Amino acid sequence: MTVRTAALVGAGVIGASWAAAFLAQGLDVIACDPAPGAEARLRQAVADAWPTMERVGLAPGASPDRLAFTTDPAQATGMADFVQENGPERLPDKHRLFAVLDAAAAPEVVLASSSSGLRPSDIQSACRHHPERVLIGHPFNPPHLIPLVEVVPGERTSEKAVAAALSFYTGIGKRPIRLRAELPGHVANRLQAALWREAYSLVERGVATVEDIDAAIAHGPGLRWALLGPFACQHLSGGPGGIAHTLRHLGPPMEDWWRTLGDPGLTPELTERIVAGMADEMGDRDPAVLAAERDELLTLLLAAKAATTTLQ
Ligand SMILES: NC(=O)c1ccc[n+]([C@@H]2O[C@H](COP(=O)([O-])OP(=O)(O)OC[C@H]3O[C@@H](n4cnc5c(N)ncnc54)[C@H](O)[C@@H]3O)[C@@H](O)[C@H]2O)c1
C-alpha cells in the first residue's frame, strides 16, 4: 500500500520528532494527543525542527501545513495508511490505545508502536480484529535525524505487515532493521547497555574517569562506529584477510577481555561518582548549546554519508 497519510498517536517527544520526519518526506500527517496544549507544542516542535529538515532535504510538496490534529485516536487512525503510536510506555496504556486503533484502522494498515521496551506480542494481545498488522517500529531519538528503526514482529505479526513496515520506513529515508526475536531493549539499546555496563564498571573500579571514558569513545571508536558497525570495523582491521584474520589473531585476547568485563550495580555510591564525574566533564558548558552543536554536526555527518556510495 502506498502511504500518503500517516497517523501519529501520541505527540510528545517522539511523536513530534516523527511528525517532522514524516512531513519532510511529503506525507500528510494527522496527529492526536489528549494532553492540554498538545497541538500547540507539536506545531512548535515541528517549526523548531523545520530548518534542520530543510538542510537535510525536503521531498517535493513537503510542508508543515500538511499537519492536522485531533484529540481522537480513532479519527486519526481511520484516516491513515500507516499508524505510528507514541503513547506512554506502559502496557495498560498501550492495550487501551491499540484496542481503539485496531478497531478504527482499515485491516491492511500497519499499526507500529515506537515502544522502547515492550514486547509486540503483549501489545497485539489487545487487538481483537487484526493483530497480524501490529509490530514495533522503534526509532532512535530524535527520529527526525537518526535513520535507524528497529522493526520487531510479535508472535502473531504477519510477514506481510513486516514487509510493509520495512518498505514504508525505507521509503521515507530510514534505515530499518528486522529483529528475529522479542528482547527487552531490542538490539540497539542492548548494545548501548553492554557498553554502559563496562563504562560504569571502569568508573567503579577507578580505572578511568567519566570524562576519560567519554573521550575514549567520542575521540576513538565512536568516530568509526558512526560510519561502520562493530563487525565491519573488525573486518577492515583484518586487512586483506578480513574478519577471519582478525578473529584468528585478536579473537583469543578478546575472549580474555570478555572474561574480565565488569557487572556493576547502580549503587548510590556509583551513581554519585558518575554524577560528579559528569559535572567535572561539563564544567561551565551549557548542555543546550552542546546539544545544538551535536545536532548540527549530526546533520552534516548524515549529509556526508548520503553523498558516499558505500557508507549509506
Ligand atoms: N524518548 C525517547 O528517547 C524514546 C526513544 C524511542 C522510543 N520511545 C518510545 O516512544 C513512546 C513515547 O515516548 P515519549 O518519550 O515521546 O513520551 P512522552 O511522554 O514525551 O509522550 C507521550 C505522549 O502520549 C500522549 N498520550 C497519553 N495518552 C494518550 C492517548 N490515549 N492517545 C494519544 N496520546 C496519548 C501524552 O499526552 C504524551 O504527549 C514510548 O513508547 C517510548 O518508549 C521513546
Side-chain angles (χ1 to χ4, degrees):
M1 174 199 271
T2 307
V3 176
R4 294 200 174 82
T5 303
L8 289 167
V9 178
V13 173
I14 292 300
S17 184
W18 271 128
F22 289 176
L23 290 164
Q25 289 295 320
L27 296 179
D28 288 312
V29 175
I30 176 150
C32 75
D33 196 305
E39 178 175 6
R41 280 194 300 277
L42 170 63
R43 293 197 184 276
Q44 188 58 53
V46 169
D48 291 345
W50 205 253
T52 303
M53 304 321 291
E54 285 173 333
R55 278 201 301 281
V56 170
L58 299 179
S63 166
D65 296 341
R66 291 172 68 178
L67 173 63
F69 188 87
T70 169
T71 51
D72 178 6
Q75 188 195 358
T77 301
M79 294 169 66
D81 309 312
F82 190 94
V83 177
Q84 185 78 40
E85 176 278 330
N86 322 281
E89 180 74 351
R90 286 184 297 269
L91 192 55
D93 286 322
K94 300 283 193 210
H95 275 170
R96 269 193 297 277
L97 262 179
F98 272 81
V100 173
L101 308 186
D102 183 40
E108 66 282 9
V109 168
V110 171
L111 305 180
S113 172
S114 293
S115 172
S116 305
L118 299 173
R119 281 166 30 96
S121 295
D122 293 335
I123 293 177
Q124 71 191 164
S125 69
C127 299
R128 287 191 300 117
H129 302 280
H130 290 286
E132 73 281 356
R133 45 46 187 287
V134 174
L135 43 76
I136 302 283
H138 175 242
F140 228 61
N141 196 27
H144 67 275
L145 286 180
I146 305 283
L148 177 67
V149 183
E150 296 175 297
V151 173
V152 193
E155 285 154 13
R156 298 163 73 191
T157 309
S158 69
E159 278 307 312
K160 195 174 154 212
V162 172
L166 292 172
S167 160
F168 169 67
Y169 290 128
T170 305
I172 60 161
K174 294 293 166 200
R175 180 66 170 84
I177 61 166
R178 182 241 165 95
L179 271 57
R180 305 278 162 185
E182 305 175 59
L183 279 178
H186 313 311
V187 162
N189 275 329
R190 291 180 73 83
L191 290 169
Q192 290 202 114
L195 182 73
W196 277 319
R197 178 157 77 176
E198 184 58 12
Y200 280 65
S201 167
L202 291 170
V203 172
E204 187 175 50
R205 288 190 267 175
V207 177
T209 63
V210 166
E211 185 171 4
D212 285 342
I213 289 170
D214 273 353
I217 294 297
H219 298 278
L223 289 168
R224 296 196 313 210
W225 288 339
L227 307 174
L228 295 165
F231 291 119
C233 284
Q234 280 188 315
H235 187 55
L236 297 192
S237 294
I243 196 166
H245 174 69
T246 305
L247 292 182
R248 269 194 308 275
H249 177 212
L250 294 173
M254 181 170 69
E255 283 187 293
D256 288 342
W257 303 339
W258 283 345
R259 282 188 276 273
T260 66
L261 290 178
D263 188 14
L266 265 185
T267 60
E269 295 75 32
L270 180 55
T271 304
E272 209 172 290
R273 280 172 78 174
I274 300 288
V275 172
M278 197 65 244
D280 286 346
E281 179 179 339
M282 279 291 134
D284 57 9
R285 283 186 298 171
D286 178 350
V289 172
L290 202 58
E293 283 179 0
R294 178 203 58 191
D295 289 352
E296 176 68 29
L297 276 179
L298 202 49
T299 310
L300 295 172
L301 178 62
L302 289 167
K305 282 181 74 164
T308 72
T309 49
T310 50
L311 293 175
Q312 294 178 26

